[in-house]
Amino acid sequence: MNTTRRIADPVQLSLSFLERVWGPSHDLDAIDELMTEDYTITTGGISITGRNEFKEWVRSFQQKLTDAITVSQETIRNESGDRVISRWICTGKNNGIFGLLADGREVTFTGIAIWSVRDNRLAACWVERSALELYQKLKHEHS
């Protein structure tokens, strides 16, 4: 018997992803449920393809930004429901993000994710985040 939950509403699908994977529980197993097997994220000009590869990318990011929490500020879907856009804020503690000294400083940055949805799962994501501004702030405050 298949006990996998299906979320028909693409907005709820994206919110569930942020809450479960980027919320306090950091439930990386939710990726198996919420993403297609060939899920691809493109961020910073780099694409990561496949659920397992994506899990490793998330795990590595969460090790560099401990206590990482991402909260949706606004979510919009297109009329057909095959695209969802989310504007979010991520907070955490610097544990070597951007290769900088791990000093435990509070970190906050913003971003936008555009997801494609296929078969009631997230299939692809394009992320733009305020990484340069965050890097400059952390680098400046450390100098």
Side-chain angles (χ1 to χ4, degrees), residues 3 12 17 19 21-22 57 66 73 101 109 114 116:
T3 59
Q12 288 305 311
F17 166 72
E19 178 183 313
V21 175
W22 291 103
W57 181 84
T66 56
Q73 301 300 295
L101 178 66
F109 62 96
I114 303 170
S116 71

Side-chain angles (χ1 to χ4, degrees), residues 78-89:
N78 66 349
E79 189 173 328
S80 65
D82 66 347
R83 291 275 192 272
V84 176
I85 300 169
S86 178
R87 184 173 58 84
W88 44 262
I89 295 176

